[in-house]
Amino acid sequence: MSDAPQSTVEVTLLGKRYTFRCTKKQSAGLERAARYLDQALTGVREHSQTKDDGKVAIMTALNITHEMQQQMEEKKKLEKEVAALTERIEQALARPDAKDDDSSQ
């Protein structure tokens, strides 16, 4: 078990209160995540024909998972673009004509 100082965080999801224990370092992130989740749950509940909280939770989980997958794909795409640009920069810097040549001035 961790020796990190523990904190108790109370959050509200769909009008119901839940209490979680976490480290003090994690508490702000947990509260932020709970606010995001509550907004997502509320949005799904308002735009869905079902009022069953279990179904609302599943649909919200799928929506958030889809968002996360899109972000992961975008991150991979950007990482590839950065790697390609880094390679081009390194190649350009390695060319003899790309280096500063004081004799040409």
Side-chain angles (χ1 to χ4, degrees), residues 12-14 33-70:
T12 303
L13 301 169
L14 289 177
R35 281 191 302 274
Y36 180 83
L37 178 57
D38 189 50
Q39 289 174 348
L41 288 163
T42 301
V44 168
R45 180 192 260 174
E46 289 174 356
H47 294 95
S48 170
Q49 293 183 2
T50 184
K51 300 302 176 202
D52 179 307
D53 286 348
K55 288 182 181 180
V56 168
I58 294 296
M59 288 189 294
T60 303
L62 285 171
N63 288 341
I64 291 173
T65 301
H66 180 69
E67 290 173 12
M68 182 187 71
Q69 287 176 326
Q70 287 179 318

Side-chain angles (χ1 to χ4, degrees), residues 9 17 38 41 74 105:
V9 176
R17 296 186 106 144
D38 189 50
L41 288 163
E74 181 66 18
Q105 293 181 357

